[in-house]
Amino acid sequence: MFYMKTIYILILCVLFVSCKKETETTIYKNLIIKDNITFATGFSSMVKFRGVIKENNQELIYFADPVSAKKIKFFTLNGVLTDSISLKELSLLGVETDQLIVKSKDSILAIGFNEMYLLNRKGNILKTIYLKRINSDGDKYTFMYPKINSFYNNLNEILFFCDWKKNLHKDYNHYYEGAFYKPKVLKITKPLDTLKSTYQYGDVFYKNISNNPKTFFEIPTISIYKDRFYMMSSYSNMLFVYDLVTMKKIREIEIASNYTPIGVSPFIISDNKPYYTSNEYHKLHLKYGFNRYIFLNNKNIYLLNYLKYNNGDIDIMKRPFSILKLNHNLETVGELPFQDLVYRGGSFLVTEKGILLENNNLSDYEKNTYTLFNF
């Protein structure tokens, strides 16, 4: 009798664990609005060249390839192609487009290394704007446009990441000793007016999370909503809120996930190890959970966090993740895990009808297949 009870209990435990695991990894299926929405681009589009705009009260998803296909294609939320814009004029000038800001089909800003180019819906270059990459203190930066969704693409104020390169007047023993004390955000007001444009740098961001310089390799995540912008670092579990006018921090809260601890422990600066390879940073980040993206709409703030991964190596785009949803009072509303490697966390778009996530198994170089979720 005792033996039979033991077997029975073991069977129940196995069933419980199996059901629990199934529920945790596939709970998102209950929130699917529409599955397998295919955008037949005909070319490969990097994630940074995808986004959402609104035209005539209709949301459109765009995919671009400024290098090979030299096009931007626009689709409805159902995957129907509506328009295409040529980027050949940029290519003929030899422009290496690093980012695109698509406010509308008539206002497209292509960002190169030292310049920005304003294009219309015919792909004609209307204006060239030269970026001032060296500030008054002699600090030289590379500017990078963050992945911001359609709810804030305002060409009157553009927020950039600042990637500090060097100071023209001072040398540092280690790069990260200098970079630690430099701002990570730049706001350019009236960027299309070269006579009236102003450059306003933010504060020293990494002092929020450390008292001393460390090898903070990853660039912080950032997103804008109305008169505020939000920042997180992969090396911290804190969400920081800034005033867009003053560029000063106004609030911070601790972020907690039910599926992973958040925050990478960075490498220490050492004379014995002057630098680390990208593969070493990649392996370090596998050991921790961390925030990768911040997205906002009129209702919610979405924090996409990669989960700690213990099963060997994996491409970061295919890594398990969760989406933490907050309201605009910074109160946690819910969290949705994606642990079965079906969806790609890095390919995440926010629409008014829900969130779009790309399917790892169904997308290829000619098409991108997404699922729309009600979350």
Side-chain angles (χ1 to χ4, degrees), residues 15-27:
L15 288 173
F16 175 77
V17 171
S18 299
C19 291
K20 186 175 186 291
K21 184 176 181 181
E22 177 72 12
T23 302
E24 286 183 347
T25 56
T26 61
I27 187 174

Side-chain angles (χ1 to χ4, degrees), residues 89-90 93 95 108-110 112 114-119 124-131 191-195:
E89 195 165 319
L90 284 173
L93 281 179
V95 176
I108 301 169
L109 204 59
N114 290 310
E115 305 89 12
M116 298 189 294
Y117 303 87
L118 181 64
L119 290 78
N124 302 132
I125 298 176
L126 305 179
K127 194 168 189 175
T128 301
I129 304 100
Y130 295 94
L131 295 169
L192 304 183
D193 189 334
T194 54
L195 296 177

Side-chain angles (χ1 to χ4, degrees), residues 26 98 314:
T26 61
D98 181 64
I314 189 172

Side-chain angles (χ1 to χ4, degrees), residues 89-152:
E89 195 165 319
L90 284 173
S91 180
L92 290 173
L93 281 179
V95 176
E96 295 183 5
T97 304
D98 181 64
Q99 289 280 9
L100 289 171
I101 305 176
V102 184
K103 180 181 180 183
S104 69
K105 293 178 185 177
D106 284 310
S107 298
I108 301 169
L109 204 59
I111 303 172
F113 189 66
N114 290 310
E115 305 89 12
M116 298 189 294
Y117 303 87
L118 181 64
L119 290 78
N120 60 15
R121 69 174 57 223
K122 294 181 179 180
N124 302 132
I125 298 176
L126 305 179
K127 194 168 189 175
T128 301
I129 304 100
Y130 295 94
L131 295 169
K132 302 172 185 177
R133 294 180 54 227
I134 302 175
N135 68 11
S136 58
D137 296 324
D139 290 309
K140 188 174 183 179
Y141 293 93
T142 295
F143 302 145
M144 291 171 283
Y145 185 67
K147 186 178 176 64
I148 295 175
N149 56 45
S150 62
F151 298 94
Y152 189 98

